Amino acid sequence: MARSPDPALAERRRRQILDAAIACFRRRGFHQTSMQEICAEAALSAGALYRYFPSKAEIIAAIADRVGDEREPLYEAIAGGANVVESLCALAEGAIERAGESCSLTAEIIAEAMRDPALTQRFASKDAREHRKLSLALAAAQRGGRVRLAMPAQRAAGVLMLMLDGLTLRAAALGAAGARPLLADFRAAAERLILPPVRPIAARRTSHALSAETDR
Amino acid sequence: MARSPDPALAERRRRQILDAAIACFRRRGFHQTSMQEICAEAALSAGALYRYFPSKAEIIAAIADRVGDEREPLYEAIAGGANVVESLCALAEGAIERAGESCSLTAEIIAEAMRDPALTQRFASKDAREHRKLSLALAAAQRGGRVRLAMPAQRAAGVLMLMLDGLTLRAAALGAAGARPLLADFRAAAERLILPPVRPIAARRTSHALSAETDR
DNA sequence: ACCTGAACACCGTTCAAGT
DNA sequence: ACCTGAACACCGTTCAAGT
């Protein structure tokens, strides 16, 4: 008799439960959704569900991890891209659209990340990794002569991530439409932190160019 | 017989309930605190409490309003202060300390602000007012020759508020200690957006000064 | 007018019993 | 090994009854 545990089934069940939970949370939010509703959506009994997730909070934690994992490769892309500012704006736009698409889910994840110490820890270390990646990408672009940074790479990365967090928060609270106008502000700030390399021919502009409102 | 409603008592009871709720939320967080605990802390029965607040969510909403009202006068101070960047850093530091002081409460307010559409609305309009105040203060400082803005006042205000939101979010999630290091990054960015006025004698520095790491 | 506290409907979680 | 679903403890909210 097959009495040994089946890891493939377990994985399938976890995915099945997570998909059902996401569908429910999108519809009615995290705290308005009951475990019974998730069970119904997943076509499983309560007992079966609790075999794969020890609590409702763990379901949110698993969803948060999934979302966080999707975001990380985007930072990788910055190191490769030709235009750093453009890559950052694309990342920012992606964050807004993604967070706005299902704001209630994003809001819930942020809320839960702040409530649950275990999730906070995971988010903090993910954040540190992203910060390091962005710092390295900026420093590399500077060394390669593709940009001039207006401040040390680590500081610039910190500032950019503060703004990205702000954008995500707005998108979660106000929807993508509420955050999208701020993308232009983000771009303007990024262009002040990450400057194009000095033209090799001549640097004709004097410092008053700083106060010019439009540059292109 | 005194059978007419007593507005003074109602106001006193609401304050009493709010203070009790804040004490409980600080201790155990919003969702871990039961109405029974708030009732006990406020020395009132459940029935009495529901006479003054229609739901638990309304209690959080009232607390959120109180916190929001505390923040607004700080923006007023920027218009008056001599050094705009310094005022902004003080505001940022205040936001970090306040949010970090009772992170669980701040986290709950942010979470609830994103969940409850009525609260979202109130936050959005408060946010718009703060943005306008900051824009006007920056524009006034520029007109007064106290600063040169690296971009239009409205844009600069938008960027600064994105960063302030990011700082508050970090402080709520990681505590004041986790957010405090980012204050230096905030300052560096603010100094790139809000530049000191051109020296009247001579503008000797050429554009390569932009890439200098330290300026003072 | 204001308050009490038992009662109600419902929630997340558990566990004896099935296959 | 995996699943079921009734049962448990507890929650936010209500309401008949008191003063």
Side-chain angles (χ1 to χ4, degrees):
Chain A
M1 282 285 160
R3 295 286 87 172
S4 57
D6 180 350
L9 174 63
E11 191 44 47
R12 193 151 48 82
R13 285 274 182 271
R14 283 179 62 91
R15 211 180 293 273
Q16 174 181 351
I17 292 163
L18 248 37
D19 289 341
I22 287 174
C24 290
F25 293 159
R26 268 206 238 273
R27 271 202 296 274
R28 317 216 301 119
F30 179 54
H31 283 97
Q32 271 59 53
T33 299
S34 73
M35 290 302 257
Q36 296 298 339
E37 290 177 79
I38 299 174
C39 290
E41 179 86 21
L44 276 171
S45 70
L49 191 152
Y50 275 87
R51 177 170 255 271
Y52 300 103
F53 287 96
S55 71
K56 202 181 178 186
E58 275 304 314
I59 293 179
I60 269 287
I63 293 174
D65 268 352
R66 206 196 249 191
V67 170
D69 290 343
E70 283 171 7
R71 202 176 54 178
E72 229 180 299
L74 293 174
Y75 282 91
E76 221 84 61
I78 292 167
N83 187 326
V84 179
V85 171
E86 225 52 58
S87 302
L88 275 166
C89 287
L91 193 153
E93 195 174 355
I96 288 174
E97 297 307 327
R98 201 178 302 232
E101 177 208 355
S102 47
C103 352
S104 70
L105 189 59
T106 309
E108 228 51 74
I109 289 171
I110 293 172
E112 212 54 29
M114 293 190 291
R115 231 194 309 278
D116 179 0
L119 246 190
T120 303
Q121 187 52 46
R122 273 186 276 186
F123 257 69
S125 64
K126 204 161 279 187
D127 185 82
R129 264 205 311 282
E130 287 175 0
H131 183 272
R132 199 166 43 247
K133 270 186 185 154
L134 187 51
S135 294
L136 290 174
L138 291 176
Q142 166 143 272
R143 270 199 315 278
R146 283 148 56 212
V147 300
R148 280 174 303 140
L149 298 179
M151 58 184 71
Q154 228 176 339
R155 242 184 236 307
V159 168
L160 289 164
M161 292 192 68
L162 278 183
M163 290 193 290
L164 287 169
D165 283 355
L167 283 174
T168 306
L169 193 66
R170 298 297 181 100
L174 279 53
R180 224 175 272 124
L182 286 162
L183 207 54
D185 300 356
F186 175 84
R187 176 185 289 274
E191 283 172 347
R192 289 292 154 184
L193 303 178
I194 305 169
L195 306 156
V198 191
R199 292 265 250 34
I201 310 293
R204 283 191 316 276
R205 285 155 176 268
T206 52
S207 63
H208 90 279
L210 282 169
S211 61
E213 312 261 333
T214 53
D215 246 8
R216 185 183 307 263
Chain B
M1 280 287 162
R3 293 286 87 169
S4 57
D6 181 351
L9 174 63
E11 191 43 48
R12 194 152 47 85
R13 286 273 183 272
R14 282 179 63 90
R15 209 180 295 272
Q16 173 182 353
I17 292 163
L18 248 37
D19 288 341
I22 288 174
C24 290
F25 293 158
R26 267 206 238 273
R27 270 202 297 273
R28 317 217 299 121
F30 180 55
H31 282 98
Q32 271 59 54
T33 299
S34 73
M35 290 302 255
Q36 295 299 340
E37 291 178 78
I38 299 175
C39 289
E41 179 85 21
L44 276 172
S45 70
L49 190 152
Y50 276 86
R51 175 171 255 270
Y52 299 102
F53 287 96
S55 71
K56 201 181 179 186
E58 276 303 314
I59 294 180
I60 269 287
I63 294 174
D65 268 353
R66 206 196 248 191
V67 170
D69 290 344
E70 283 171 6
R71 203 177 52 177
E72 230 181 298
L74 293 174
Y75 282 90
E76 220 83 62
I78 292 166
N83 188 326
V84 179
V85 171
E86 224 52 57
S87 302
L88 276 165
C89 287
L91 194 153
E93 196 175 354
I96 289 174
E97 298 306 329
R98 201 179 303 234
E101 176 207 354
S102 46
C103 351
S104 70
L105 188 59
T106 309
E108 228 52 74
I109 289 172
I110 293 172
E112 211 55 29
M114 293 189 291
R115 231 193 309 280
D116 178 1
L119 245 189
T120 304
Q121 187 53 46
R122 273 186 276 185
F123 257 70
S125 65
K126 205 160 278 187
D127 185 81
R129 264 205 311 283
E130 287 175 358
H131 183 273
R132 198 164 48 246
K133 270 186 185 154
L134 187 52
S135 294
L136 290 174
L138 291 176
Q142 166 144 271
R143 269 199 317 278
R146 282 149 56 210
V147 300
R148 279 175 303 142
L149 299 179
M151 58 183 72
Q154 230 175 339
R155 242 184 237 307
V159 169
L160 289 164
M161 290 190 68
L162 279 183
M163 290 193 289
L164 287 169
D165 283 354
L167 284 174
T168 305
L169 195 65
R170 299 297 181 100
L174 279 55
R180 224 175 272 125
L182 287 161
L183 207 54
D185 299 356
F186 175 84
R187 176 186 289 274
E191 284 171 346
R192 289 292 152 185
L193 304 178
I194 305 169
L195 305 158
V198 191
R199 292 266 249 35
I201 310 292
R204 284 191 314 277
R205 284 155 177 267
T206 52
S207 64
H208 91 275
L210 282 170
S211 61
E213 311 261 333
T214 53
D215 245 9
R216 184 184 306 264

